[in-house]
Amino acid sequence: MIAIVEDGRITALRPNPDHVVSRGYSCPKGLLYKEIVHSPDRVISPMKRKGLVSDNHSWTTLNWENAFEEIGAKLKSIIQESGPDSVAMYVGNGAGFAFLHPFWAQGFLTGIGSTSLYGSATQDCSNKFAAARHMYGFPMLQPVPDFENSRLFIVFGGNPAATKLSFRGVPDPQGAFRKAAESGCRIVHINPRKTESVDAGGEHLAIRPDTDVFFLLSFIRELFINGGVDHQRAEAFMKGMGSLEEAARPWTPERQAEVTGIPADVLRNLAAAHRDADGAALYLSTGLNMGRSGTLCGWLVEAVNAVSGNLDRVGGTLVGRGALMDFPRLGAGAGVMMSDRTSRLGGFKTVNELLPGAMLADEILTDGPGRIRALLVAAGNPLLTLPDTAKTERALRNLDLLVTVDIFQSATSDFAHYVLPGVTPYEHPDIGYIFHSLMGIGHRRFLQYTDTVVPPVGDSRDEPWIWQNLCRAAGGKFFGSSLIQGHINLRKRLSTLPGALGRLFSYSHERILDRFLRFSGKPGVRRMRKKADGLLLAEPQPGSFLGKRVRTDDGLVNLAPAPFLEAMAGLDDQFEWEKDNFHRLKLVNMRGFRTHNSFLQSSPTLMKGAHNTNHLHIHPDDAATRGLVDGQAALVWSQAGCIRIPVKVSDRMSPGSAAIPFGWGQQRARGLTTASRTGGANVNWLFPSGENHLERLSLMAHLSGLPIETLPAPKGVPAVVLAGGMSRRFGSDKAMAKLRGRRLIDHVMTAAVEICGDVVLSVSSSRGYEEFTMPRLIDPNPQLRTPLNGLIAAARVLDGHFIVFASDTPGIEPSLVRAMEAMASMGEGPVVIGDHDNLYPFPGVYHSRHLDIFEQAMEKGEYRITHILRGMNPIFMSIEEARSHNPDLSTLVNINTPELLKKWDELSSADKVY
């Protein structure tokens, strides 16, 4: 990229035609990055929250020394009281794209003695690292497809047109695919959605979401049967081939077809084409990574490439070398990224030193030794990226200390006690990030150094400097070394010397990078500046990996790792579940072309017009069945939650599947002007978290293949029926108690449908309410027995007025409620019956604009609805007027006890309950 700079500001960005790899190609998002660098919403000073999360005016600025002093003191106190592992770090995707940031973040965490490390990898790609560790001996040994020279390239669960073929980073992937197709490469995309990548000359095979593991097992079986295995190569460089063949044997093409929807003969023909191809490669991406069998799929894809003789050969898959060093050799020898620490809850073994992100909320909310009390977020947004947003929000509120290091005050930062301003890639020097520099993953092997382009805005500082100073303030030893920390402390003192001498000893990101380059035997910064377009390095040759760089103990590729074979024991049950639920709509993840990480919602150009929201993408047949119309809003719900989102009817989706782009939901973040004008929804409200909702082998959260329900969002004023679940006074779920042969909730539902037409059910848990076909809202704080939960859940999802009914009020008079609805235009407050001293909250007419009030009450611990209502200037319907519609006021009677239920049953008439 070439930046045009005037007066310290980037005025334009354009592709660099002379770059050794990109050759003048740039992603449209990158060309607009100046809007991020110079956004008026940038955090430019350390910030501290003093008031409530929901208070827009509770933030104040600090200088860096005060910020470090205060945060350091809190960290010291927490560590002293609860131990270092009670302080955790979450490393976001943004940290991984700078070379030093992840190292220095780890240096801080090691420095304070904590091993509680979480990261975005367990939401998108840690299955690939788990597979590589067990097969090749080190997680960073990642083969990439040499599709330009392939005769057959099969893409599972990816859309390279949007992702640039992640884990390889191909510039202009559509152009590269067209060129490969013109050269004779057959490209097959196996995906529930016909992605844009197919348009570049590929084929599409529609597969049922999250069933790829069965296809891959059958594919391997066919290779063994039809002569598609290179036995000589496998025997020379691999082990476990017999066990792999045995594991695949039960999965016939006919059997897999029962759940994948791909006919047996189609699979057989594709396996035969693979056998006959002079160079073939299989590749998988997030569509499979995020499913229930992400690691098994990763293993099977690699196993196909290996046993077919396509690993380490032209047209197959190749294993690169890092631009700086052979890190797998050094790392495997030192045991780096190979620890088997286990989590406090669930006993999950770390992958790449990371604990499971899907367990972070539980680790905060579950009492006991080692409970996480402080969380530091490095360039991430876990509120949006982790599953079960409601639980994650509860967890963030429950922390004693939350610190985010970011360029924006994100949705996560709203809950922070401190926000520390980091920098953009244009505001610090850098070399290629870890994938390029250490792992050797990339389109071409090259080395590049870039200087600082513009000075950091305001008082923002680069993240390595922040972690280094924060470690000192917390009383730690950076990287756990007294020698390193002593060196840092000495340089800090010497940097206060006057003039050039002080500058010589001051912190310098540039000097640190220079030392990395020189230590690796590469030219230093001064010489690399002369290679502004990058330095192209020698590519690894085919045949350079097998028998030479495999890092297992015996140097052989392990085709059948024991943990993977053990995990296959659960596939029969998974297969039966898929057969039994073949009729259900399943949700897959999707990446949009104009978004990636959530911070891009702060780009005005990217968010223009119809692009300011994500959509529910659904096949026309599924849309028609559910009454969904293109462009209109839908409610989508699952066992974990419910969202409101506009619909995109598209024949690119296969029947039975739906897709929602991830990374949205910043509009309520209190520091983001552009994002506040966006629409859309955070899809992770729909995905549950916890021990049963992640893959044990890789710690990947289940973020794809989720069964969902969807219906049109209400157009008028809908009813919300509160069914809170277990009642202490009643001794059971009173909504399910029977009155005259019908459950209480059925009486209420009948009246709600008559009054409103559209009905939404609010519950503390979906369990026990699966039979109800209307949308289900899940309580944001189910551990609290308060109707406030239902009001918050409804106001978050619905748009405009809604009428709330309690599920234990079977005597509803429709004319009374309609009269209340007619009063809603008289003011801004809710409509309730009674007066200031004696009011009845249900039935009541509420509005989505009341959400902030409800959330503030929850945050303050004020759960009494009547008390909250009195502060909202409600619109009262007098008791006298209520009697004019409902003389005996049966509408206001709650059946709270078995005794009252019995009494009402005795008083009931043939037509109406009084």
Side-chain angles (χ1 to χ4, degrees), residues 522-546:
K522 300 297 186 295
V525 164
R526 184 175 299 177
R527 291 174 60 193
M528 285 303 301
R529 281 198 180 102
K530 299 176 182 178
K531 301 287 184 179
D533 300 320
L535 177 63
L536 207 59
L537 304 175
E539 292 291 331
Q541 295 301 306
S544 67
F545 177 62
L546 293 176

Side-chain angles (χ1 to χ4, degrees), residues 549-758:
R549 291 190 287 132
V550 177
R551 296 300 167 194
T552 55
D553 292 340
D554 54 13
L556 299 176
V557 173
N558 188 355
L559 295 173
F564 300 173
L565 296 177
E566 292 167 7
M568 285 190 62
L571 287 182
D572 286 324
D573 289 341
Q574 188 173 325
F575 181 81
E576 292 303 318
W577 185 95
E578 290 291 349
K579 285 203 303 183
D580 293 342
N581 291 273
F582 196 82
H583 63 285
R584 299 185 68 180
L585 187 66
K586 295 180 76 177
L587 181 68
V588 297
N589 71 83
M590 177 180 171
R591 179 171 292 175
F593 279 83
R594 297 169 69 91
T595 59
H596 181 192
N597 295 341
S598 56
F599 72 87
L600 286 177
Q601 288 164 43
S602 290
S603 165
T605 303
L606 289 175
M607 296 295 105
K608 271 186 179 179
H611 300 290
N612 78 336
T613 182
N614 57 348
H615 293 82
L616 168 69
H617 295 250
I618 190 168
H619 188 271
D621 292 347
D622 293 319
T625 300
R626 293 160 177 81
L628 301 177
V629 177
D630 190 77
Q632 295 185 357
L635 296 186
V636 183
W637 69 97
S638 69
Q639 67 181 93
C642 179
I643 60 174
R644 178 189 179 95
I645 188 169
V647 174
K648 178 76 72 176
V649 178
S650 171
D651 59 7
R652 285 188 174 272
M653 297 305 306
S654 58
S657 64
I660 298 177
F662 56 86
W664 289 79
Q666 288 270 73
Q667 58 264 41
R668 294 196 67 220
R670 299 177 191 280
L672 302 179
T673 305
T674 299
S676 69
R677 296 191 289 268
T678 61
N682 175 19
V683 68
N684 284 349
W685 281 96
L686 302 176
F687 291 97
S689 67
E691 288 188 40
N692 298 321
H693 303 287
L694 61 93
E695 195 218 42
R696 184 168 287 274
L697 292 170
S698 65
L699 314 184
M700 284 285 294
H702 293 168
L703 293 173
S704 190
L706 176 76
I708 59 167
E709 306 290 342
T710 180
L711 284 172
K715 294 181 180 178
V717 178
V720 177
V721 177
L722 305 181
M726 179 65 67
S727 167
R728 284 191 295 270
R729 293 178 64 188
F730 209 87
S732 63
D733 186 350
K734 58 185 175 182
M736 299 299 176
K738 296 248 181 116
L739 176 67
R740 295 177 54 237
R742 297 175 67 209
R743 298 171 301 187
L744 290 180
I745 194 170
D746 295 328
H747 289 278
V748 177
M749 286 288 186
T750 299
V753 170
E754 179 182 345
I755 297 164
C756 300
D758 290 318

Side-chain angles (χ1 to χ4, degrees), residues 189-225:
H189 297 266
I190 300 179
N191 200 306
R193 177 175 174 265
K194 184 180 179 181
T195 67
E196 291 77 7
S197 300
V198 181
D199 300 340
E203 305 169 27
H204 176 229
L205 281 182
I207 191 169
R208 176 86 171 149
D210 203 22
T211 62
D212 305 78
V213 64
F214 306 112
F215 179 95
L216 285 163
L217 283 165
S218 183
F219 195 87
I220 288 178
R221 181 183 186 275
E222 285 302 300
L223 293 183
F224 277 106
I225 290 173

Side-chain angles (χ1 to χ4, degrees), residues 719-727 730 732-739 742-752 759-764 769 772 779 787 803-812 841-843 890-891 893-896 901 904:
V720 177
V721 177
L722 305 181
M726 179 65 67
S727 167
F730 209 87
S732 63
D733 186 350
K734 58 185 175 182
M736 299 299 176
K738 296 248 181 116
L739 176 67
R742 297 175 67 209
R743 298 171 301 187
L744 290 180
I745 194 170
D746 295 328
H747 289 278
V748 177
M749 286 288 186
T750 299
V759 179
V760 176
L761 184 61
S762 176
V763 295
S764 58
Y769 291 90
F772 291 91
D779 288 350
I803 303 174
V804 181
F805 300 92
S807 62
D808 60 354
T809 55
I812 296 170
F842 310 119
S890 60
T891 298
V893 177
N894 299 92
I895 308 299
N896 285 322
L901 177 65
W904 264 52

